[in-house]
Amino acid sequence: MIKEILEKEEKKVEYLELIYDLIFVYVIGRNNSLLHHISGGFVESGMFLAYVLCTLAVIQIWNFTTYYINLYGRNGARDHVFLFINMFLLYFVAEGTREHWQEYQMQYHLAWALILINIGVQYLIELRNHKGDPEQQKRIRNVMIILFAESAIILASIPLYSKTGVWFLSLAAILFGILATLLFGNGKKTVVVDFSHLSERAMLYVVFTFGEMIIAIASYFEGSLSVRGLYFSAMAFIIVIGLFLSYGTLYDHIIDREIETNGLIYMLFHIFIIFSLNNITTALEFMRNEDIDLLPKITLLVASLVIYYMFLFALCHYAKKKCGFKKKFFLLMLLLGASFAVVMFIFRNNMFINIAVTVAYVFGIYIMLYRISKKIRTQIPTA
């Protein structure tokens, strides 16, 4: 067993995977555009719900694709063809992500379902390569069932919406995929992924998401030659840096990328990490928008930051044993998050204070993670 592990070739992120990710950068921008339709002091409720659905759907597509490539991808012609087909279909998903999304509902859902079917067919083809491994075949069949069942729910939502205007089946499809994946991967290690490759892929998607955030805060630099402009532009930039450093520190020094795991829960956590980062991006844009009421935009920023850190800390399940995370750490993080929320709502009318409080919260957490990572590095024996 040890010999097999030593001889196993490390799986590297291929160029095509990065090209594939670029289409998601475009789709992320389309999703975020749904939130720029204000009514009654906040985003129109229908647009906000469409944003939540579209964002989760796209992240889930990326998760399913990445997991397949990690387990069975061979960087061959067949893999390339299937990826290019999904890239092509994602353009139709992006095109259907717009203000009058109801008119593009059929196009969006048809492309979405076909993408999942495409991935399911790849698993179906893969069955023949594991005829002598019943455990692998069982795992492949289970994933196929999830993909084909979710695509069936998506397709069923097309006639339901056209006749009734009800779109709850779309959300049901996403929830089904998440819950089925959660149950599917809970506590089972029958298939061990290349976790180094999987964690790197997730990290790269997070980096692309931060790229959107960097572009979004460009509005803070308008009129930045004034004292007020310099203050807010610097604070916004520092917030983004602090968020990025926290994830980077966790990824580089705390996560054990050599761990044996099926990786499903790790990828599931990243659905919510990426989703919360998208919300933080939007919340930072909203903070400068005077057409949006203070209470909802403060609520969006606070909730998004708390969710981001909640799932970031959840990744500590994959931390190196020498980290020694204890209940005291998580209780401290919970207290810090609650205190941050209270202070933000108390000073919701004072933008100078609440952006400084956000910086203090973000960097307070980063400093704690940095100290933990430093402790790990000092424990590594030198040659």
Side-chain angles (χ1 to χ4, degrees):
M1 177 67 178
I2 296 175
K3 184 179 179 181
E4 290 178 1
I5 293 174
L6 291 174
E7 291 178 350
K8 183 179 179 183
E9 185 179 351
E10 180 184 354
K11 192 177 186 71
K12 297 180 180 180
V13 175
E14 302 292 343
Y15 291 120
L16 187 59
E17 293 178 77
L18 299 178
I19 294 170
Y20 182 65
D21 285 353
L22 291 178
I23 188 68
F24 287 91
V25 175
Y26 168 59
V27 179
I28 287 171
R30 296 286 297 191
N31 287 341
N32 290 346
S33 69
L34 293 172
L35 294 176
H36 294 277
H37 302 279
I38 313 303
S39 176
F42 195 56
V43 182
E44 296 175 10
S45 58
M47 299 304 290
F48 185 79
L49 291 173
Y51 160 77
V52 172
L53 188 149
C54 292
T55 303
L56 289 176
V58 168
I59 298 171
Q60 191 181 63
I61 288 170
W62 182 88
N63 261 10
F64 280 134
T65 307
T66 300
Y67 194 73
Y68 171 81
I69 291 173
N70 183 273
L71 283 176
Y72 307 114
R74 296 175 180 83
N75 195 33
R78 191 189 79 195
D79 292 342
H80 293 183
V81 170
F82 277 97
L83 273 182
F84 285 134
I85 290 172
N86 273 1
M87 288 178 68
F88 179 75
L89 291 170
L90 279 165
Y91 276 105
F92 291 97
V93 169
E95 183 62 20
T97 307
R98 54 173 63 234
E99 180 180 1
H100 303 292
W101 58 269
Q102 299 92 334
E103 299 173 12
Y104 293 81
Q105 184 262 353
M106 180 181 290
Q107 170 184 311
Y108 187 101
H109 285 74
L110 188 58
W112 178 13
L114 287 174
I115 289 169
L116 297 185
I117 292 171
N118 182 321
I119 303 169
V121 169
Q122 288 178 276
Y123 277 101
L124 181 62
I125 296 172
E126 191 62 35
L127 268 176
R128 66 184 181 184
N129 295 323
H130 301 278
K131 291 180 180 179
D133 191 342
E135 198 62 48
Q136 278 273 25
Q137 285 199 325
K138 180 182 177 182
R139 175 59 64 96
I140 291 171
R141 287 193 185 98
N142 286 340
V143 179
M144 282 168 49
I145 290 170
I146 293 173
L147 289 164
F148 290 142
E150 183 172 346
S151 61
I153 298 172
I154 294 166
L155 290 172
S157 70
I158 297 174
L160 179 67
Y161 181 83
S162 61
K163 291 182 178 180
T164 65
V166 175
W167 55 268
F168 75 90
L169 272 184
S170 304
L171 182 59
I174 295 171
L175 293 177
F176 169 80
I178 292 174
L179 292 175
T181 302
L182 182 62
L183 294 173
F184 178 60
N186 189 22
K188 298 178 181 178
K189 294 186 179 180
T190 52
V191 173
V192 176
V193 299
D194 187 324
F195 190 60
S196 178
H197 170 267
L198 196 71
S199 58
E200 184 179 3
R201 292 289 286 114
M203 177 273 294
L204 289 170
Y205 196 168
V206 170
V207 168
F208 284 136
T209 309
F210 272 112
E212 265 307 299
M213 192 180 295
I214 288 171
I215 294 170
I217 66 166
S219 62
Y220 280 79
F221 289 81
E222 296 174 3
S224 59
L225 291 178
S226 65
V227 174
R228 178 186 176 87
L230 284 171
Y231 174 77
F232 281 104
S233 60
M235 287 298 193
F237 184 70
I238 291 170
I239 289 169
V240 176
I241 294 301
L243 292 169
F244 179 76
L245 287 175
S246 291
Y247 183 90
T249 299
L250 195 79
Y251 173 79
D252 283 333
H253 304 295
I254 297 177
I255 296 296
D256 183 1
R257 300 206 297 277
E258 303 302 320
I259 194 173
E260 288 193 0
T261 175
N262 57 29
L264 285 169
I265 306 302
Y266 186 85
M267 297 300 283
L268 184 65
F269 288 160
H270 271 81
I271 289 179
F272 297 99
I273 288 173
I274 295 166
F275 177 66
S276 60
L277 284 173
N278 284 331
N279 288 338
I280 293 169
T281 298
T282 302
L284 288 173
E285 288 184 286
F286 282 176
M287 296 303 288
R288 286 181 53 83
N289 191 335
E290 296 180 356
D291 294 332
I292 302 175
D293 292 340
L294 277 171
L295 186 59
K297 63 186 179 184
I298 289 290
T299 302
L300 180 62
L301 180 63
V302 170
S304 301
L305 283 167
V306 170
I307 292 171
Y308 171 69
Y309 284 119
M310 182 173 70
F311 283 96
L312 193 68
F313 299 146
L315 294 181
C316 293
H317 174 72
Y318 297 88
K320 298 172 183 175
K321 291 182 179 179
K322 60 187 70 176
C323 290
F325 283 102
K326 298 178 180 178
K327 288 183 179 179
K328 185 169 68 174
F329 170 80
F330 294 104
L331 288 174
L332 178 61
M333 293 299 99
L334 184 63
L335 179 62
L336 191 61
S339 301
F340 165 67
V342 170
V343 175
M344 285 291 284
F345 283 110
I346 289 174
F347 292 100
R348 62 184 179 276
N349 293 316
N350 193 318
M351 299 292 290
F352 278 88
I353 294 178
N354 61 41
I355 198 168
V357 169
T358 304
V359 168
Y361 174 61
V362 167
F363 266 86
I365 290 177
Y366 164 64
I367 290 170
M368 291 181 186
L369 290 174
Y370 174 77
R371 293 172 74 177
I372 292 170
S373 70
K374 188 176 180 181
K375 181 181 176 182
I376 295 170
R377 292 196 295 274
T378 57
Q379 289 177 352
I380 297 175
T382 55

